[in-house]
Amino acid sequence: MRVKGVKQLLTGRSFPVWACIALLCCAIILCSFPVAVQSRSRSRSSSYIVARAAYRKESGDKILDVYVIPHSHLTPGWLRTYTEYFDRQVSTILTSVVEELMQDESRRFSWAEISFFSLWWAQQSDPRKDVVRGLVSSGQLEFIEGGWVQHDEANTEAEEMLRQVTEGHEFLMQEFGVRPRIAWQIDPFGHSSLSPTMFSQLGMDVLVGNRIHFRRKGARRSDKSLEFIWRGSPSLGEKSDLFTHILYNHYSAIKGFDWEDPTQRVTDENVELRSEIFIQKCFERATAYRHNLLMVPFGDDFKFQKARLQFSQMDMIKKFVNERTDDYRIRIRYATPSEYFDALAQYDVEFPTFQGDFFPYADNENSYWTGYYTTRPTMKLNVRESDSAISSAEALLSIASVVDHFSESTVKLSDLKSGLTDARRNNALFFHHDGITGTAKSKVVTDYYNRLLNAEELSHTVVEQSLVKILRALSPEITEKTLEFLVTGEHPVRIDPSAFKTAEQRAGLYPLLLSNPLGWTRDQLVQLRGEFPEDVCILDSSGEPILSQLSPSLLTQWRTTDPSDSKIGELMLSFFASVPPVGFRIYFLSFDCPHEMRAQPAQVFDVSVSSEGGYLLRSSSDDRSSAELVLENSFLQVSFTDEQTLPTLIHNKLSDEQLKFQMKLGEYSQKKGGAYIMRPEGYEEHSAHEVLRLVRGPLFDELLSANVHPRGEPSFARDEALPRAVRFRVVKSDIPEMGSFLRIAYDIRVGEDKEFTTRFYTDMKTDRVIFTDNSLESIRRDFGVFDDKTEQNYFPAPRSSFIRDSSRSTQMTVLTPNAMGAHSPADGALELMLHRHLMRDDGRGLGEGVKDHSPLRSEHWLQFAPTPLAERQRMLLAARLNKPLAVSVAHSLPQWFSATQFSLLKHDLPQQVALLSFETRHQAASAESGAGDIIGARFVNLWESNDHSPLPPQEARFDFAAYLIGSLQVDEASRTVLSFNNEWDAWKPTARQWKSEAFAEVPRTEFLNDAVFSRDDDDRQNTDEEGVFISQAALDEAAEAEADERTAAHQKRGRQLLAHLTTLPVHLTPLETKAFQLRLSASATFTQKELFPLVRPLSALEQTNTRSQRRSPPPERQRTLTVQPSTAALLKDNVNAARVHTSRATPASAAPASLPASATPASLSASAASVPASSDTSSASKQPPLGSTEPAKPLFSSTLPAASRASSSSIPVQSSSSTLPSAATDVTESRAFNQPLPSTDVNLLSAEDLRRELALLSIEEERLKRRLDAHSAGRSTQQTTVPDAWRAEVPPKGSFLPRLEIGIVWLIYSAAIIGVVIFVFRTRALAPPASKLNV
């Protein structure tokens, strides 16, 4: 019946029935249309209502002030090159933005990357530059961070970061007189604890970040902790605190409100709807903060190419909302980050404190950005080499600027400074977060590489010309043509002896100018590469032969050379060099040496595994012998007892500790990872090693282990066995800087979809805990914080990584010259990723894989020692690893030339103080005699003071002026921020102040716990009496007192620019970095003697201030001799002046301790003992023969400038025979000018001294453990949790009213559709048949 009724309704002939139905349907349709439109509007507004209700519950209906931050994130090299991006996009952005800012004073824009801005600035006319300066001074255009680039934080070292920021800040100060106050790190893939540490000392008081682990960001939204005080360094404490703001979502505009993307435009008809959507998003974000201010980014990658469209569209929303502020409870304004944080600083809000870093970064559960720690390792190594060349150039140019008044060189300092600036800027581009990370397209990587090469070449040119300037200051007769350089800067330097064809050329002495930018004397094994003849030798700075070694270049020849060949081919000429701090020393290369002076050839053996156990050694003469494979010196012994010919046992001779040790090479297979992301699918270890060669010589022993004999160039097919080699070397030196570690060098290539690693398995108990560094401070890395997957437990290691066994108090450290990823695959194991070669894109915008066919040739330093000693050596060696001596080879100097060394300092800096940089900053304002340019110097205290450091806190106090040579004086000095562009005292009072909650150490799993941060239950600071935190009243009182003292000091000084100073006191707490600007001048009576003074003992006052002491020769071995002050004579006399050193724990009032002389290292081979009497036989370069009581003669001739011949001096010298001592002679008799005497400085201790040092450190470690236990017990009682009431209670996204409205709308639409269907069927049924129509 129901069906029949419907049919009648549809086909009935009754007019009134269907007519009524049709009219009813039309009425429903007409009435439902406005209702549907209104319901749709209400449906969208319901989200606004919910968001506003949530905000209202949190803020009490306060007006929300929205600060819209127009910006454009620019990448100087990713999918396109630096210049391509500028020509196609960046130039348009800047031009259009400036035009729009001129149209409306309320508009703002923020700019970060100075590399792009400097290119655009150079193209502008003077009137346009004046307009831009006006925009900057009015606050419409703000520079944020202001670095040359926005650097990566996982792979960049502290010095590299400071250099690129300083380059940008110097440009801004020169052109606009401004210095950025906000760090803007919105795109690096994770954030390092180095950032707040360095930015806080760069004079910045806010850091804006973005990319942190998605779980962490979600937890911080819920806990209202996206803004917090970040303590970057536990060693520095409050000095490293920096207010940090993490962006709510991303640095892009709110979705739908970037009008350069395909999105709906704002019109007069939809402005209300679009505004309410914008307001809704703002209210949703506001609930994640503790106040009623909201910063909203407005921009994205390379946005505002259509600046007029962007501003005009946002203007409409801003105007509409601001006219209805009382209704919407929101205000919108354009702003810069400074305006937002200035407003926030006025609020009485307490922020939580966080300590740690934000690695690893992940944007979902299966995407951990840990691959880029290692991607393109060869490029990461090249940038460190380029940076080292720049450091050497900066130091030598600074010296040249000091002595330029006395030099007649035609080279202008301004030209050298310009060249060095270009080098720094090209080098700085690579520190961008898509540069050093290796995550750019292949063509962009090529462009980066070319810029690095250019930076190195420019640096080498500056090194050469600066050396000429310095040498001409001593001898005006020398010219640029006289000192023509053959090669500079290669590692190792390659020399072509075939270029010296004539007998005169071969009989000449070719200077090797070795420069050292560090603040300590640099002892190093120097190697020259080439096809050297048998009669080659090395002479020291006084012209006497030193011990040198000729050996094959294993890593470059192992693929093609058979050790049985009589002609080895290319050789390595090696010798020990010692170069004074911030200076240079000249050694000499000769190709026509007598037999007794020649370099000693090393013995080369072919090694095979014996069937009876052990190894068979076959020499080039086909002699065979059975022997154990052992590499050793006075510090350690490395044994090879496994058939895989990799080390299995390390014995530390100082502590008599043994480490069971197994090194494995292997590969991860990967099909889904890419440049950024690591997604390993399986691991395979490699064990076959077919090529074995052993080299034994007087300076070092080394063993080569390789897997295959290659046949031509590899094709890199997936299953192809690629040629790989590992070389192990032990240097036979009793100087820890050279001999206390095992050197492991790699020659690695990787096949498709592979990630190559090295693993070190030990018998240490570590619980899979490793330590990596941020280039300054070590950080504990626990396994399984997120999960137990491999990629989730990889961490960045810019310089070093180590594992530690607390039960045995031992530590194994690996120092690396380039950044890489580190991981613990098992208890007691450490894994380092060396290379990656991936064919697929990982979906993060690059659009291609990492097709890296380049071989990695890198050397790691591995050390095993008791924990206190290992930690001290780790910090000291890490500062030296990436700053090798810069070697320049020149044609022969003139025969009358005798100045063969120079140092700006007469003493080494204290052992824990590193000279981070020493560079020329500004041109001298005065042309008076001897006035030099403004020099920028940065000092850092390397000593850590954190919970896992075994060393007691150690401050450094010294007077830098007391370390300068006697002919120099400090005319002007002031402490500045680390970028040198603002005085510290002028910046500190203007810094924004933030209130923080009581600090408590955050658990490493804080993003997984409910209690993310700790706060006091009664929401107040601790009082002074509690002894932990200072009350706010006490802080205010101290600040007022400090301000009064500072004002008085400024008035007393009168702020005179050239107030002559006699001291430059430097005080560094553990891990503190300070920067100073100083003007150095040389005395008007500048002579060779003043430039090359004798190293004298420190006075009693200097010993008190610097806690340093100095060994002098025994009184019975000293006498006074009057000589002419020729430089050669001075150098000969300097052999008796001991290198200054710093006592680790000697009280200031204690008298210098007398230590016994070091014994000759037992590790010297038997061949070294057969060196003739005129050769050097110690583990370092030996002392030249001392002459009789007659005045010493110059190296080449007695002809000297008249000014030098006219004066004389009394110089203490050490009596000796006229010949070099034999190998059996006591080291005190044969120590060279470039060999330090034993001291209590751990950096220079002999093996015997280190044993005593180790005993003292063990006592200190026990005492420190007791202190830490007591401290931990006291602190554990202060941990509190977050009350549940503090958490944000966000209301549900829906409510009853919106659901009812939606139901009514759907009911109306359904009725309308049914009516239409009935109408159509009824019309068809009533239509007349076709036949009737035809009739």
Side-chain angles (χ1 to χ4, degrees), residues 520-537:
W520 313 295
T521 299
R522 186 74 162 92
D523 295 291
Q524 181 181 316
L525 175 70
V526 177
Q527 293 191 298
L528 310 177
R529 184 162 56 101
E531 296 184 3
F532 294 106
E534 295 181 353
D535 55 354
V536 68
C537 68

Side-chain angles (χ1 to χ4, degrees), residues 316-362:
M316 295 181 68
I317 292 178
K318 183 168 71 75
K319 180 180 178 182
F320 181 86
V321 172
N322 289 344
E323 289 175 351
R324 297 161 180 82
T325 296
D326 292 338
D327 181 24
Y328 286 120
R329 308 304 292 167
I330 191 171
R331 276 191 298 261
I332 301 176
R333 57 166 295 180
Y334 293 122
T336 62
S338 286
E339 290 174 320
Y340 169 77
F341 291 111
D342 285 341
L344 180 57
Q346 305 303 316
Y347 275 63
D348 186 16
V349 181
E350 289 188 352
F351 298 97
T353 302
F354 169 75
Q355 181 174 292
D357 66 6
F358 292 98
F359 290 118
Y361 166 62

Side-chain angles (χ1 to χ4, degrees), residues 109-125:
F109 201 81
S110 300
W111 192 272
E113 292 83 1
I114 304 304
S115 54
F116 279 128
F117 188 87
S118 64
L119 285 181
W120 180 82
W121 186 253
Q123 298 176 358
Q124 305 309 303
S125 63

Side-chain angles (χ1 to χ4, degrees), residues 822-947:
H823 165 63
S824 178
D827 185 30
L830 176 64
E831 175 180 288
L832 300 176
M833 184 173 289
L834 302 180
H835 210 323
R836 310 178 78 222
H837 184 174
L838 306 174
M839 305 300 294
R840 294 168 177 80
D841 179 45
D842 52 17
R844 294 304 181 273
L846 182 58
E848 65 181 34
V850 185
K851 301 176 182 179
D852 189 0
H853 296 167
S854 62
L856 172 67
R857 297 188 176 99
S858 176
E859 182 176 273
H860 298 177
W861 294 358
L862 186 146
Q863 185 185 55
F864 168 69
T867 301
L869 182 59
E871 261 302 274
R872 183 172 293 189
Q873 289 288 0
R874 179 186 68 83
M875 292 180 284
L876 297 175
L877 292 174
R880 291 164 166 80
L881 175 60
N882 290 317
K883 294 293 178 61
L885 299 174
V887 182
S888 303
V889 185
H891 283 298
S892 297
L893 289 170
Q895 291 297 308
W896 42 260
F897 189 77
S898 58
T900 54
Q901 69 152 356
F902 172 78
S903 174
L904 200 68
L905 308 179
K906 54 190 174 186
H907 314 295
D908 284 11
L909 292 179
Q911 61 170 347
Q912 77 270 33
V913 176
L915 183 62
L916 207 58
S917 59
F918 195 81
E919 54 194 84
T920 301
R921 300 310 309 168
H922 307 294
Q923 185 68 32
S926 172
E928 63 181 274
S929 175
D933 290 353
I934 294 294
I935 304 294
R938 298 188 187 101
F939 305 92
V940 58
N941 185 351
L942 298 176
W943 250 231
E944 296 181 11
S945 176
N946 49 43
D947 287 346

Side-chain angles (χ1 to χ4, degrees), residues 254-271:
I254 293 176
K255 188 174 182 180
F257 293 88
D258 183 345
W259 291 277
E260 291 184 6
D261 290 339
T263 189
Q264 184 180 6
R265 300 287 176 88
V266 180
T267 62
D268 292 337
E269 290 74 21
N270 68 1
V271 64

Side-chain angles (χ1 to χ4, degrees), residues 55 200 207 215 308 330 397 429 461 522 531 716 817 836 930 974 976 1034 1045 1139 1156 1240 1273 1317 1333:
Y55 170 74
S200 61
L207 167 63
R215 288 193 211 169
R308 177 171 299 177
I330 191 171
L397 181 58
L429 284 176
T461 301
R522 186 74 162 92
E531 296 184 3
F716 296 95
R836 310 178 78 222
S974 62
T976 68
E1045 293 178 1
R1139 183 184 309 155
T1240 56
V1317 171
L1333 292 176

Side-chain angles (χ1 to χ4, degrees), residues 831-1090:
E831 175 180 288
L832 300 176
M833 184 173 289
L834 302 180
H835 210 323
R836 310 178 78 222
H837 184 174
L838 306 174
M839 305 300 294
R840 294 168 177 80
D841 179 45
D842 52 17
R844 294 304 181 273
L846 182 58
E848 65 181 34
V850 185
K851 301 176 182 179
D852 189 0
H853 296 167
S854 62
L856 172 67
R857 297 188 176 99
S858 176
E859 182 176 273
H860 298 177
W861 294 358
L862 186 146
Q863 185 185 55
F864 168 69
T867 301
L869 182 59
E871 261 302 274
R872 183 172 293 189
Q873 289 288 0
R874 179 186 68 83
M875 292 180 284
L876 297 175
L877 292 174
R880 291 164 166 80
L881 175 60
N882 290 317
K883 294 293 178 61
L885 299 174
V887 182
S888 303
V889 185
H891 283 298
S892 297
L893 289 170
Q895 291 297 308
W896 42 260
F897 189 77
S898 58
T900 54
Q901 69 152 356
F902 172 78
S903 174
L904 200 68
L905 308 179
K906 54 190 174 186
H907 314 295
D908 284 11
L909 292 179
Q911 61 170 347
Q912 77 270 33
V913 176
L915 183 62
L916 207 58
S917 59
F918 195 81
E919 54 194 84
T920 301
R921 300 310 309 168
H922 307 294
Q923 185 68 32
S926 172
E928 63 181 274
S929 175
D933 290 353
I934 294 294
I935 304 294
R938 298 188 187 101
F939 305 92
V940 58
N941 185 351
L942 298 176
W943 250 231
E944 296 181 11
S945 176
N946 49 43
D947 287 346
H948 57 263
S949 175
L951 301 175
Q954 184 171 350
E955 297 184 353
R957 295 176 183 268
F958 63 98
D959 178 10
F960 184 67
Y963 284 78
L964 296 172
I965 58 176
S967 56
L968 296 181
Q969 66 180 8
V970 178
D971 291 336
E972 175 191 348
S974 62
R975 185 188 173 188
T976 68
V977 297
L978 294 186
S979 55
F980 302 118
N981 60 14
N982 198 14
E983 289 193 10
W984 185 265
D985 289 341
W987 163 76
K988 199 62 178 174
T990 63
R992 300 180 181 94
Q993 303 298 318
W994 310 97
K995 292 184 179 181
S996 63
E997 297 173 354
F999 174 74
E1001 184 176 357
V1002 180
R1004 296 183 181 87
T1005 57
E1006 88 283 355
F1007 48 89
L1008 301 178
N1009 293 340
D1010 290 334
V1012 179
F1013 295 99
S1014 295
R1015 57 159 51 185
D1016 290 340
D1017 293 335
D1018 55 353
D1019 199 24
R1020 63 179 178 82
Q1021 284 189 326
N1022 291 353
T1023 62
D1024 296 337
E1025 288 74 20
E1026 289 172 338
V1028 180
F1029 301 99
I1030 304 175
S1031 66
Q1032 189 61 45
L1035 289 174
D1036 295 341
E1037 183 179 350
E1040 292 176 1
E1042 182 181 358
D1044 293 339
E1045 293 178 1
R1046 184 164 49 251
T1047 302
H1050 285 179
Q1051 292 174 350
K1052 182 178 180 180
R1053 186 175 62 156
R1055 304 191 64 83
Q1056 297 176 359
L1057 294 179
L1058 292 177
H1060 288 272
L1061 305 175
T1062 57
T1063 63
L1064 178 56
V1066 181
H1067 175 210
L1068 299 172
T1069 58
L1071 220 69
E1072 185 175 15
T1073 305
K1074 287 185 178 180
F1076 296 87
Q1077 282 197 149
L1078 54 149
R1079 188 192 303 279
L1080 302 180
S1081 63
S1083 62
T1085 57
F1086 181 79
T1087 64
Q1088 288 188 33
K1089 177 182 176 182
E1090 290 173 327

Side-chain angles (χ1 to χ4, degrees), residues 229-402:
I229 309 297
W230 189 358
R231 180 159 296 178
S233 168
S235 299
L236 281 172
E238 294 180 353
K239 293 181 179 179
S240 66
D241 286 356
L242 187 64
F243 183 83
T244 302
H245 175 104
I246 300 296
L247 297 179
Y248 180 88
N249 189 16
H250 196 54
Y251 56 81
S252 54
I254 293 176
K255 188 174 182 180
F257 293 88
D258 183 345
W259 291 277
E260 291 184 6
D261 290 339
T263 189
Q264 184 180 6
R265 300 287 176 88
V266 180
T267 62
D268 292 337
E269 290 74 21
N270 68 1
V271 64
E272 180 179 2
L273 177 62
R274 299 285 286 156
S275 297
E276 289 187 355
I277 295 174
F278 185 84
I279 294 171
Q280 168 208 332
K281 298 297 183 182
C282 291
F283 279 144
E284 289 176 355
R285 296 187 178 201
T287 57
Y289 299 93
R290 304 185 176 195
H291 43 76
N292 63 322
L293 302 179
L294 180 66
M295 184 171 73
V296 177
F298 178 34
D300 207 334
D301 293 348
F302 296 96
K303 293 298 181 179
F304 280 83
Q305 297 181 59
K306 301 176 181 178
R308 177 171 299 177
L309 173 65
Q310 295 277 54
F311 279 117
S312 63
Q313 290 284 287
M314 185 58 74
D315 285 343
M316 295 181 68
I317 292 178
K318 183 168 71 75
K319 180 180 178 182
F320 181 86
V321 172
N322 289 344
E323 289 175 351
R324 297 161 180 82
T325 296
D326 292 338
D327 181 24
Y328 286 120
R329 308 304 292 167
I330 191 171
R331 276 191 298 261
I332 301 176
R333 57 166 295 180
Y334 293 122
T336 62
S338 286
E339 290 174 320
Y340 169 77
F341 291 111
D342 285 341
L344 180 57
Q346 305 303 316
Y347 275 63
D348 186 16
V349 181
E350 289 188 352
F351 298 97
T353 302
F354 169 75
Q355 181 174 292
D357 66 6
F358 292 98
F359 290 118
Y361 166 62
D363 54 20
N364 61 61
E365 290 287 358
N366 195 36
S367 300
Y368 277 75
W369 298 46
T370 53
Y372 79 94
Y373 301 157
T374 306
T375 300
R376 300 195 185 276
T378 304
M379 294 291 290
K380 288 177 168 63
L381 182 61
N382 289 338
V383 74
R384 294 284 167 83
E385 294 173 350
S386 175
D387 200 61
S388 175
I390 291 175
S391 296
S392 297
E394 286 176 341
L396 287 175
L397 181 58
S398 299
I399 298 172
S401 69
V402 173

